């Protein structure tokens, strides 16, 4: 089986090809390597290979492994891509550079409070539940634009993008198209969409970052 480093270079090459295919600038898409459930020993070779942007699902798991890695590699950028509980807002603001899963009023209020208290401003994305799946986190598509407006006007939060995870059993294209449309309406520029199985499709629909884990590290 190919090593994580070999798979990492393969994914990077496919991203570059998808950018060309979509007529987009080289380097337009940021690769977020999803390292959830993998330890520092698994992640280290990928950092050594040049990767600096990583995604984690859980605040607690990230706290256990990333501070030491970030001390060794100060230019690491860490994204929270899993659901955020309001009681973890303090830790999330302290640790993450980007929080991609703002999806309700209570989270927005807690983040605003912690950003003011800590004087640290992670970049923020609103997560959209494009498939309206009851078991999934994310705000409903029809509520997205008003919610982004409230985040800005009520809570003073700078929302820079939208994020989605399409339903596993559906063609992701229409979901990516919907997210792109909502971003335009909300006046945000960044689109975090596409994972190991569909990141090339997401790039064709305007993704500015893709979140790839199992195509690099293998299945968990």
């Amino acid at each position: 089986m190919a090593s994580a480093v070999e798979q990492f270079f393969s994914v990077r090459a496919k991203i570059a090809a998808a950018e060309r295919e979509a007529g987009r600038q080289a380097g337009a898409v940021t690769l977020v390597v999803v390292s959830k459930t993998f330890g520092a020993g698994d992640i280290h070779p990928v950092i050594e290979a040049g990767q600096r942007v990583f995604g984690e699902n859980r605040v607690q798991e990230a706290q256990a492994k990333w501070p030491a890695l970030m001390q060794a590699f100060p230019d690491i950028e860490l994204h929270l891509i899993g659901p955020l509980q309001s009681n973890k807002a303090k830790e999330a603001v302290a640790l993450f550079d980007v929080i991609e899963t703002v999806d309700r009023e209570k989270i927005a209020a807690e983040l605003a409070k912690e950003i003011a208290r800590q004087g640290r401003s992670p970049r923020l994305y609103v997560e959209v539940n494009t498939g309206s799946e009851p078991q999934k986190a994310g705000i409903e598509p029809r509520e997205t634009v008003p919610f982004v407006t409230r985040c800005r006007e009520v809570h003073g939060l700078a929302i820079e993008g939208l994020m989605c995870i399409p339903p596993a059993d559906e063609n992701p294209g229409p979901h990516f198209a919907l997210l792109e449309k909502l971003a335009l309406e909300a006046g945000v520029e960044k689109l975090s969409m596409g994972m190991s199985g569909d990141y090339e499709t997401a790039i064709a629909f305007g993704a500015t970052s893709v979140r790839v884990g199992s195509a690099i590290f293998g299945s968990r």
Side-chain angles (χ1 to χ4, degrees):
M1 193 178 132
S3 73
V5 170
E6 289 170 319
Q7 298 283 33
F8 161 64
F9 284 121
S10 169
V11 167
R12 279 217 319 206
K14 287 176 182 174
I15 288 171
E19 286 172 336
R20 285 194 299 274
E21 181 76 22
R24 298 181 61 188
Q25 236 180 337
V29 180
T30 298
L31 168 60
V32 180
V33 171
V34 179
S35 48
K36 65 177 184 180
T37 76
F38 288 95
D42 299 304
I43 299 164
H44 206 273
V46 180
I47 299 176
E48 292 282 8
Q51 178 64 13
R52 289 295 181 272
V53 186
F54 290 85
E56 287 284 337
N57 264 45
R58 297 175 191 277
V59 175
Q60 238 170 325
E61 185 190 337
Q63 279 178 310
K65 64 190 179 192
W66 279 103
L69 286 168
M70 290 165 100
Q71 202 168 3
F73 300 93
D75 55 345
I76 291 281
E77 180 179 290
L78 193 58
H79 291 228
L80 178 63
I81 58 171
L84 176 60
Q85 297 165 307
S86 54
N87 65 353
K88 294 288 182 194
K90 178 182 175 181
E91 291 91 340
V93 168
L95 181 61
F96 290 93
D97 301 292
V98 183
I99 296 172
E100 298 198 11
T101 50
V102 183
D103 67 350
R104 57 198 186 281
E105 211 76 40
K106 190 175 181 185
I107 289 293
E110 285 297 322
L111 287 172
K113 188 172 83 180
E114 283 304 325
I115 286 167
R117 198 178 69 79
Q118 296 184 35
R120 191 172 190 276
S121 298
R123 287 150 39 215
L124 303 174
Y125 288 54
V126 165
E127 182 176 0
V128 184
N129 186 350
T130 54
S132 298
E133 297 172 277
Q135 78 281 14
K136 255 191 198 164
I139 196 148
E140 285 289 316
R142 66 179 178 278
E143 294 167 17
T144 301
V145 176
F147 179 64
V148 170
T149 302
R150 286 198 307 278
C151 283
R152 288 170 173 155
E153 294 177 1
V154 176
H155 302 290
L157 297 175
I159 303 294
E160 77 165 31
L162 302 181
M163 179 265 233
C164 76
I165 304 169
D169 55 352
E170 290 185 25
N171 173 6
H175 294 273
F176 297 152
L178 172 60
L179 200 71
E180 187 180 33
K181 175 176 171 284
L182 291 170
L184 202 61
E185 290 172 12
V188 300
E189 291 182 359
K190 303 286 188 181
L191 288 169
S192 171
M193 55 191 198
M195 300 190 293
S196 287
D198 56 20
Y199 63 89
E200 291 157 291
T201 303
I203 290 167
F205 280 94
T208 56
S209 61
V210 294
R211 309 178 306 274
V212 181
S214 57
I216 293 170
F217 291 113
S219 55
R220 291 170 174 81

